[in-house]
Amino acid sequence: MARIKHPKILTASDLKQGDVIFFTGTGWSRHHLDAKPAQTDGEIAALEAQAKADVAANRILDVQIIDVALREDGRPEPIHYREKMRTLGPSVRRDLGKQAAS
């Protein structure tokens, strides 16, 4: 399998909660640090298949596979500003979303 330029993770919106969620390899998490990075074309294809299955089951919507950088501990951090904002919550109300809990 070919290596890709940047590792990628699968993100979507949870239909029940309306929250941004990240695929962990076995399920979904509200925290991007729990996401399982894909580093080959085959792993990305597996993420795409998972996304299609969960969309078809009406669990998620707004699916995206995004570029990440891996921290020293191997956990993913989004590269692009938009995705970094999605990991926190609304930018106009810092008392809401995931950023309120930190």
Side-chain angles (χ1 to χ4, degrees), residues 1-58:
M1 293 281 163
R3 279 252 177 226
I4 56 176
K5 184 175 180 181
H6 296 289
K8 302 184 184 309
I9 61 173
L10 177 61
T11 182
S13 295
D14 185 320
L15 276 175
K16 287 185 180 176
Q17 303 296 322
D19 205 0
V20 176
I21 55 176
F22 303 88
F23 187 66
T24 65
T26 57
W28 293 90
S29 172
R30 292 183 68 236
H31 305 285
H32 69 285
L33 296 175
D34 297 335
K36 180 180 178 185
Q39 299 190 54
T40 66
D41 290 338
E43 291 172 341
I44 293 170
L47 291 181
E48 292 169 343
Q50 182 68 48
K52 286 180 183 177
D54 285 347
V55 167
N58 292 322

Side-chain angles (χ1 to χ4, degrees), residues 38-75:
Q39 299 190 54
T40 66
D41 290 338
E43 291 172 341
I44 293 170
L47 291 181
E48 292 169 343
Q50 182 68 48
K52 286 180 183 177
D54 285 347
V55 167
N58 292 322
R59 293 185 192 115
I60 60 171
L61 60 96
D62 191 25
V63 175
Q64 297 176 36
I65 294 178
I66 64 170
D67 292 339
V68 294
L70 298 181
R71 300 172 5 160
E72 285 187 25
D73 62 4
R75 299 169 89 181

